[in-house]
Every structure is written in C-alpha cells, then in structure tokens.
Amino acid sequence: MDRRGKRMSAVMGGVLGAALLALMPSVPAGAQAPAPAPAVPTVAPQEFEKAKQIYFDRCAGCHGTLRKGATGPSLLPDKTRKMGTETLKAFITYGTPGGMPNWGQQGILTEAESDLMARYIQIDAPQPPEMSLGDMKKSWKLIVPPAQRPKKPEHNLDWQNFFSVTLRDAGQVAIIDSKSKEIVSVVDTGFAVHISRMSGSGRYVYTIGRDGKATVIDLWLKKPDKVAEIKACADARSIDTSKYKGPKGNFMDKYAIVGCYWPPNFSILDGETLEPLKIVSTRGYTVDTHEYHPEPRVASIVASHRDPSWIVNVKETGQIWIVDYADLINLKITQIEGVPFLHDGGWDATKRYFMVAANMRDKMVVVDSQTKQLAAVINVGAKPHPGRGGNWLDPKYGPVNGTVHLGEGKLSVWGTDPQKHPQYAWKVVRDVTLLGGGSLFMKTHPKSDWIWVDHALNPDPKVQRSICVINKKTGDKTAKCWEAADHGRAVHFEYNKEGTEVWVSIWDRKDKQSEIVVYDDKTLKEVARLKDPRLVTPTGKFNVYNTMKDIY
C-alpha cells in the first residue's frame, strides 16, 4: 500500500472507530457522570440554502427527504451528532463499501461542501413544502400543441432504434442514432434524469429528473426536442405511460404517470401535453409494524400491457398498488402487501408477473398482475438492485430472472414459470459469484447468449470500471470480466433494437470526458467508443424499441 493509501486507511480507521464508539450503548446510570450532549454545529443562512439543494440533489434519494433512511441509513440528528463532523465528512468524501458514493473523491463535492454537508445533517431537517395540482399547473409548459406536431417523421432515421441517454449532471438527455452512433439531439430536461420511458407507440420519450421535472420529447421532429414539460414534484424517480389497447379500451399514449419522492404521491397527467389531471397521496401505514409513515415514496412504476393499469411501488410502506386508470373519476387501486423498502424491478417474460426488489430487506417481491395478488417473496443477497432485471431460458431450470446486489458480489437467479416449472418457481436456483459488491444493473436480451453485469459502486476503482458476462448455457460462473475503460465507472447496459450490440456508459466526473462503449454481443469485442464532448456524465441508456416493448 502506498503512502496515500496508508493515510486514507488511517483516517478512515480512526473516524470509523470513533463512530462505532459514539454509537455504543452508554454505561448504566450511576457508574460515571453522563457525557455532555454533542454540540450542534452552526450552518449560516446562506450555507443552509446551498446545503438544502445539495441534499435534495445527492442525498435524499437514499436517505429520504426527512432523513429517516431507506436504502441509506437514517441521518436524523440523534445519530449524526454522536458521529461528529469529521466522521461524517470522511463518509461523504470516501464513501463506504455498502454503496455510499465517494462524493469527495469523485470531485462532485469540494472539501468545503463535504464539510458543509457534514454539519448540515446534524441540524434538524427542514420540512419541505407540499405541492397542489394548482402548484403543478403553474410550472406546466405546452411548447408544441399536439395539433401542431408532425403527422409523420420529419427525418429518415430509424427512430425506434434511437437511444435516450441520461447526461446526469448536465440536466440533459442525448438522443443517439444506433446505426450511425451520432448524437441526433441534446435536450434540456430535469436534473439527473433517473429514467426515460417510451410511450406505447414509441413516438414520445418521457423523462423524469430527480428535481421532479418531467418532459416529453417528440422523436418525429426533424431534430427531436421536448414538446411539453412540468415540475410535478420537488424530488422524483419514476415515470411511465398508458400502454394498454384492447377490449377494455384504447389508452395508448393517453396518460402519463409520475411517481414522487417528495411530496410522497403519484400524479396522472395527459399523455400528449403533460397537463396535470389528478394527484394521489401515498402516505399511510407500513405493512409489517402498521406504523404511520409520513414519507412513503414512489420508487418505480411499470405499465401493464394486459390491462389499463400501472403497478406503483410504495417504497417505505411496502405496498404494491395496482392502479386501474380506465376511470380517473372513480379510480380503482388494489393495495397488495409486500415488504418495506421496495425499489426497482420489472416484468417476467410473459409480462404477467412483476418482480421488485425490497433492497433493505434482501428480498424480491413477486406480484401476479392477473389475479392482483402477492405471488411470492424470494430471499436473495444483500441489497438487491436489479434495475428492470433480465429474462432468459436456463438449460436446467427453464424461464428465470435475476438480480445483482449493492451489498455483495453475486448474481442471484430464480425460476419464473409456475405453470410448467413449478418446482423452481420463485426459488433461487443459482448464485453466480461476481468481482464484488456495488452492482447496479444487469442486462440480457432474448437473442443474446450473455448476461451482462456492472460493479459501478464498488469501492475499488478497477472493479468500478469492470464488467462481466455470464453464459446463459452454463450460468454457474462468470465467463469473462474486463475493464471497459481506464477511468470512470462502467454503468448500465442497453441493447440495440436488433439485440446485436450492447452499450455501456463510462461515467466520469463532470469536468472529464465520459464515454459510451459499444460491444458486439456475439464476440464481446468492442465495435465503437463514443467520446463526444457533449456526453457529460452519461448513465442510463434506453433504446426506444426495447423500452416501449419492455424487452429485458
């Protein structure tokens, strides 16, 4: 270990040791004089506003707007003051093996900002404002009314094979043509877009920023651009559209839905214009202890192809809601009790069963969208984080799906076919060892022989930028691992429309050149490396065809 490594180890060892001592039970009364209460650090008014914004942008997603904890631990003052400013600053700077990003080392937060945030989380959390339908409507901008939009594409490109790529810290998405690998358009959106979702027809791209700003982008324009936007909430992670067309009506592209972290609710919008139509609060009681929770956030939403409904995952209460949008006036919601801390997930290959990670409980929760009942709870590894997961045929176990984990280095695989393979359904049938924890995403495709996995939040820089593939035909070990770049973090995979190429982001600091690397899925050889200076902190990539059809 070099000098810098020894110094960092000493610093982290000292501060973590101090943290553990601070959190140890106190000596019984009478044995010694009680220690004085920890001093409350000062945060000047001008610092407070800056810290509040940084917390919303960087911290609230894992620790909660009210700091009560979820994927990350509670940051309430009764805990943070015991740890002290220097300990907290070390966590913020260097991160943790459990998935806490090293904000200081990445250069995202300066030393002064890390110090500010260490002090800020020791004072009482401010109560953020609520948001009414009227408040939302004030921010609504209809840029191009539907009647003024083109009746057919104004270009000759294969728009169903476009990629919508999140440029996280730039507050933009890049629309990239899969064939030419050229950027077709860069669109201003919300900050740190979490996902892009396509309308049922594929024409429109819907984005949601962590700042709660939703946009709809028309891919038929000569230069794709947003045609409407709205600030639906202060903090958000999920968006989707209505995809059902069948005997119960034609709802294709009719509605959009935004799931909010704060205020804790979901809102239904007009699908073409984003005009707000309805807000539904998600505040309520947890499924296990039946305690009231003031901040149960909507972590993910998927649109059903079988019914006019969405599946809405309410994170902290552990409820899965099936929302029937056929009649907004008489809205029907089926509330299914799952497991608290629901995060992200996706469909099985038949699009009947929805599987979502309860990441802080180390479980996957399965819902049958046909019977509208809980189907199973599966024990997996530490902090599962599947993204939307992946479906494939295992030579021994039949149809399966899987998840990677933030908390440990493994891919867990379970059966998904209770009809033809009931002995394997909703049971872990394989655990595949990876390079380490910190994985965020896995990906495959019906035409692929491979399962791709990343390790983006692993504390080891070499592992952060390494990707691995697992062969579906053997499935019991990693077939190959390699470093996708000599810098940054390799994160998130997406296939092209044909299922022949895999795209992975090399996510580096805002002030450095990031990349997207494209691999041939058969040979695993690199075929392209996109280095356009406009690719600022690229993370998620969403192919139009695969996303509109929910192919994963």
Side-chain angles (χ1 to χ4, degrees):
M1 185 183 292
D2 60 19
R3 279 186 193 172
R4 184 172 177 271
K6 289 179 179 178
R7 180 175 63 81
M8 283 177 57
S9 295
V11 170
M12 290 302 292
V15 296
L16 294 180
L20 290 172
L21 286 173
L23 296 175
M24 287 176 64
S26 59
V27 176
Q32 64 179 37
V40 180
T42 57
V43 176
Q46 64 272 21
E47 291 183 310
F48 180 84
E49 291 303 317
K50 180 177 182 179
K52 186 170 69 173
Q53 190 62 51
I54 292 174
Y55 185 87
F56 253 81
D57 292 344
R58 304 290 179 182
C59 315
C62 288
H63 299 284
T65 303
L66 301 180
R67 303 191 204 157
K68 292 181 177 292
T71 305
S74 164
L75 294 179
L76 293 175
D78 64 332
K79 293 187 177 181
T80 55
R81 289 174 190 170
K82 293 177 182 177
M83 300 175 73
T85 301
E86 290 305 313
T87 298
L88 294 168
K89 185 177 175 181
F91 279 126
I92 293 166
T93 302
Y94 301 115
T96 70
M100 167 74 181
N102 53 340
W103 298 119
Q105 283 185 310
Q106 290 185 53
I108 292 174
L109 296 182
T110 65
E111 184 175 354
E113 288 171 335
S114 296
D115 181 82
L116 170 59
M117 296 311 297
R119 289 181 283 122
Y120 176 76
I121 59 178
Q122 294 178 70
I123 66 175
D124 292 330
Q127 182 73 27
E130 301 292 330
M131 185 175 286
S132 68
L133 199 71
D135 294 330
M136 289 173 58
K137 205 157 189 174
K138 290 176 184 176
S139 70
W140 174 46
K141 295 180 182 178
L142 181 56
I143 301 166
V144 182
Q148 298 176 19
R149 298 173 193 171
K151 304 302 181 184
K152 61 181 181 179
E154 296 179 332
H155 52 74
N156 296 320
L157 300 174
D158 183 3
W159 53 272
Q160 287 193 351
N161 213 1
F162 285 171
F163 283 77
S164 177
V165 180
T166 296
L167 306 180
R168 188 191 189 281
D169 290 354
Q172 299 172 325
V173 298
I175 307 299
I176 303 179
D177 175 43
S178 173
K179 184 177 180 179
S180 67
K181 310 293 188 294
E182 296 291 333
I183 294 178
V184 178
S185 181
V186 175
V187 183
D188 291 330
T189 56
F191 170 77
V193 163
H194 195 236
I195 54 171
S196 295
R197 291 289 179 259
M198 305 341 170
S199 61
S201 67
R203 173 179 180 170
Y204 295 116
V205 178
Y206 295 81
T207 71
I208 186 67
R210 295 187 181 221
D211 57 0
K213 186 177 179 181
T215 62
V216 56
I217 299 167
D218 189 351
L219 297 178
W220 285 10
L221 295 174
K222 185 174 182 180
K223 182 180 180 182
D225 204 349
K226 60 187 176 186
V227 291
E229 66 180 28
I230 191 169
K231 187 171 177 61
C233 28
D235 190 1
R237 292 296 184 280
S238 51
I239 194 168
D240 215 324
T241 64
S242 53
K243 292 185 175 181
Y244 177 77
K245 181 179 181 181
K248 298 178 182 179
N250 181 7
F251 295 93
M252 190 74 74
D253 300 359
K254 184 173 183 178
Y255 297 125
I257 179 173
V258 171
C260 294
Y261 269 26
W262 189 270
N265 62 42
F266 68 83
S267 55
I268 299 174
L269 318 173
D270 181 279
E272 289 191 310
T273 68
L274 298 186
E275 179 182 5
L277 304 174
K278 192 178 190 72
I279 299 176
V280 179
S281 174
T282 52
R283 289 184 171 98
Y285 292 82
T286 60
V287 299
D288 50 358
T289 60
H290 297 279
E291 295 176 85
Y292 178 75
H293 200 293
E295 191 189 0
R297 302 170 292 174
V298 177
S300 58
I301 301 171
V302 295
S304 173
H305 298 258
R306 293 169 168 257
D307 293 291
S309 65
W310 295 297
I311 295 187
V312 175
N313 298 283
V314 187
K315 191 179 185 83
E316 281 76 12
T317 60
Q319 291 187 354
I320 302 101
W321 291 6
I322 300 183
V323 179
D324 184 335
Y325 53 72
D327 182 353
L328 297 191
I329 299 298
N330 302 290
L331 195 69
K332 297 177 183 177
I333 300 177
T334 301
Q335 297 181 337
I336 300 169
E337 292 192 359
V339 178
F341 304 111
L342 300 170
H343 194 63
D344 203 2
W347 295 107
D348 78 308
T350 70
K351 297 181 177 65
R352 172 176 174 174
Y353 297 99
F354 175 72
M355 299 158 290
V356 59
N359 52 16
M360 295 309 292
R361 296 293 173 87
D362 305 338
K363 300 179 189 300
M364 294 295 301
V365 179
V366 184
V367 166
D368 185 340
S369 69
Q370 181 171 304
T371 64
K372 295 180 172 55
Q373 294 179 337
L374 181 70
V377 176
I378 309 169
N379 293 316
V380 290
K383 294 186 182 180
H385 197 286
R388 288 200 142 187
N391 297 296
W392 68 96
L393 283 174
D394 185 278
K396 182 176 179 180
Y397 303 109
V400 296
N401 198 295
T403 183
V404 289
H405 299 81
L406 281 166
E408 62 180 301
K410 74 176 180 182
L411 166 71
S412 292
V413 181
W414 58 86
T416 62
D417 184 5
Q419 280 72 44
K420 295 181 180 179
H421 299 80
Q423 69 273 37
Y424 305 128
W426 320 131
K427 297 174 184 176
V428 172
V429 295
R430 294 189 188 276
D431 279 322
V432 184
T433 301
L434 305 179
L435 297 179
S439 294
L440 285 175
F441 299 104
M442 58 168 293
K443 196 73 175 182
T444 189
H445 188 278
K447 296 179 181 179
S448 176
D449 293 330
W450 307 103
I451 304 142
W452 297 70
V453 300
D454 68 21
H455 308 80
L457 293 185
N458 190 282
D460 186 331
K462 289 187 176 181
V463 178
Q464 288 173 6
R465 54 183 181 252
S466 294
I467 56 180
C468 295
V469 292
I470 297 99
N471 193 314
K472 291 179 183 177
K473 295 176 182 177
T474 56
D476 57 350
K477 61 182 179 180
T478 53
K480 182 180 180 182
C481 299
W482 68 95
E483 291 182 49
D486 59 2
H487 64 101
R489 302 165 184 263
V491 63
H492 196 266
F493 307 95
E494 178 64 298
Y495 281 82
N496 62 351
K497 177 181 176 182
E498 298 82 7
T500 58
E501 292 179 348
V502 177
W503 294 34
V504 60
S505 297
I506 306 301
W507 171 22
D508 212 326
R509 290 166 45 159
K510 185 177 180 179
D511 58 348
K512 293 190 175 182
Q513 177 64 65
S514 293
E515 303 172 299
I516 295 175
V517 186
V518 182
Y519 293 98
D520 182 293
D521 185 65
K522 291 293 183 186
T523 66
L524 306 181
K525 292 182 179 179
E526 180 183 323
V527 296
R529 190 170 287 255
L530 287 62
K531 291 188 177 183
D532 193 294
R534 292 172 290 178
L535 292 176
V536 178
T537 57
T539 51
K541 301 158 297 301
F542 304 90
N543 178 267
V544 172
Y545 183 82
N546 291 334
T547 308
M548 65 186 272
K549 298 291 185 180
D550 286 316
I551 297 173
Y552 38 79

